[in-house]
């Protein structure tokens, strides 16, 4: 089952001193996560001041550094509107990502304006598409998208703080997608307090998983993890435990 390492997101060095920010650091951490057993890597390019960006220069630098470190690895990134001024700029920037350094896949959140158009652009540029939903409210837009059945997977990302509610959202959305005929693999992932309950739910439900510093900084017992590779190994250890 696929395990994605989400190695930085918008985390700052104040939150975790070793969070990878530069292209070199991202490549190093990505290689370590893959060596620890992750299937693919998801990373956010960062500016010199640490901000998240989808600027073509930064995307190109990140992808080239990754490919130099892990020639046979797969890396994806975000198209989130928080990385730019809005949907129009997102379309302009993604259209300008360098053809010789495109991410292998990119995610589009269907909670955002222009998601269907952005998803078509990702595919049109030759990348693999992942679509994300944050709640049941996003499901109709995803189901109406012309790219629905061209997704490599659907990401279910509950934007709630309660672990119990997060698991319930994942399962409600998953059931709705399956009832609507979606056959793509589903991936659950949480954030901070919801990370480990959602990981366990994904394993129980036969879904793909995601872990890394973007999502959470701690081991399941609440102690601070050493980094992305340790978090990957922890999920693999859970997956290896036979179901009760």
């Amino acid at each position: 089952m696929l395990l994605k390492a989400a190695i930085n997101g918008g985390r700052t060095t104040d939150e975790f001193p070793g969070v990878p920010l530069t292209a070199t650091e991202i490549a190093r951490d990505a290689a370590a996560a893959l060596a620890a057993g992750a299937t693919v890597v998801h990373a956010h390019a960062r500016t010199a001041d640490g901000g998240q960006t989808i600027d073509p220069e930064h995307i190109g630098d990140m992808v080239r550094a990754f490919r130099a470190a892990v020639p046979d690895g797969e890396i994806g990134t975000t198209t989130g509107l928080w990385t730019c001024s809005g949907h129009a700029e997102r379309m302009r920037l993604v259209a300008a990502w360098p053809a010789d350094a495109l991410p292998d896949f990119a995610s589009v959140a269907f909670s955002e304006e222009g998601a269907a158009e952005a998803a078509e652009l990702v595919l049109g540029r030759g990348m693999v598409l992942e679509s994300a939903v944050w709640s049941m409210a996003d499901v109709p837009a995803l189901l109406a998208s012309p790219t629905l059945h061209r997704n490599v997977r659907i990401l279910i990302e509950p934007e709630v703080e309660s672990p119990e509610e997060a698991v319930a959202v994942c399962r409600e959305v998953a059931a709705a997608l399956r009832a609507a005929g979606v056959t793509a693999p589903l991936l659950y992932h949480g954030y901070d307090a919801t990370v480990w309950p959602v990981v366990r739910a994904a394993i129980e439900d036969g879904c793909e998983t995601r872990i890394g510093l973007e999502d959470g900084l701690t081991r399941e017992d609440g102690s601070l993890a050493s980094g992305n590779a340790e978090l990957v190994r922890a999920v693999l250890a859970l997956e290896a435990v036979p179901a009760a």
Side-chain angles (χ1 to χ4, degrees):
M1 190 66 70
L2 179 136
L3 168 56
K4 181 191 294 184
I7 63 174
N8 62 354
R11 296 290 184 181
T12 68
T13 52
D14 288 339
E15 293 176 281
F16 193 93
V19 65
L21 301 179
T22 68
T24 299
E25 291 167 350
I26 289 169
R28 178 205 64 210
D29 254 45
L34 291 167
T39 316
V40 298
V41 169
H42 172 84
H44 293 195
R46 306 291 283 269
T47 60
D49 63 2
Q52 300 173 76
T53 182
I54 56 171
D55 177 82
E57 180 179 356
H58 289 89
I59 292 292
D61 288 347
M62 179 180 75
V63 172
R64 291 185 186 101
F66 172 81
R67 297 232 164 95
V70 195
D72 59 348
E74 293 184 33
I75 189 168
T77 196
T78 184
T79 63
L81 290 183
W82 63 86
T83 63
C84 58
S85 65
H87 175 59
E89 186 181 27
R90 166 170 64 185
M91 295 294 288
R92 178 177 63 79
L93 293 174
V94 174
W97 285 358
D100 67 334
L102 284 173
D104 296 288
F105 57 93
S107 56
V108 176
F110 271 74
S111 57
E112 295 182 339
E113 174 196 358
E117 187 181 13
E120 290 189 284
L121 176 59
V122 165
L123 290 168
R125 292 293 327 269
M127 291 173 281
V128 171
L129 172 67
E130 304 177 317
S131 294
V133 289
W134 295 359
S135 71
M136 282 295 295
D138 304 335
V139 170
L142 175 64
L143 295 180
S145 170
T147 61
L148 174 63
H149 296 296
R150 299 179 67 190
N151 283 284
V152 69
R153 65 187 59 87
I154 305 296
L155 316 178
I156 304 176
E157 311 175 349
E159 293 286 298
V160 295
E161 295 182 2
S162 160
E164 295 79 11
E165 187 179 355
V167 170
V169 168
C170 286
R171 288 176 166 158
E172 182 183 17
V173 170
L177 294 177
R178 292 300 189 226
V182 173
T183 58
L186 305 180
L187 182 153
Y188 301 172
H189 75 87
Y191 186 79
D192 286 345
T194 70
V195 167
W196 290 105
V198 166
V199 163
R200 283 190 172 272
I203 294 169
E204 291 170 10
D205 295 356
C207 292
E208 297 179 347
T209 52
R210 191 178 105 160
I211 198 67
L213 296 177
E214 175 175 351
D215 296 344
L217 308 177
T218 65
R219 305 177 182 95
E220 193 171 12
D221 65 7
S223 59
L224 190 67
S226 62
N228 286 299
E230 182 186 7
L231 292 169
V232 167
R233 288 191 292 269
V235 173
L236 291 173
L238 287 181
E239 291 180 342
V241 175

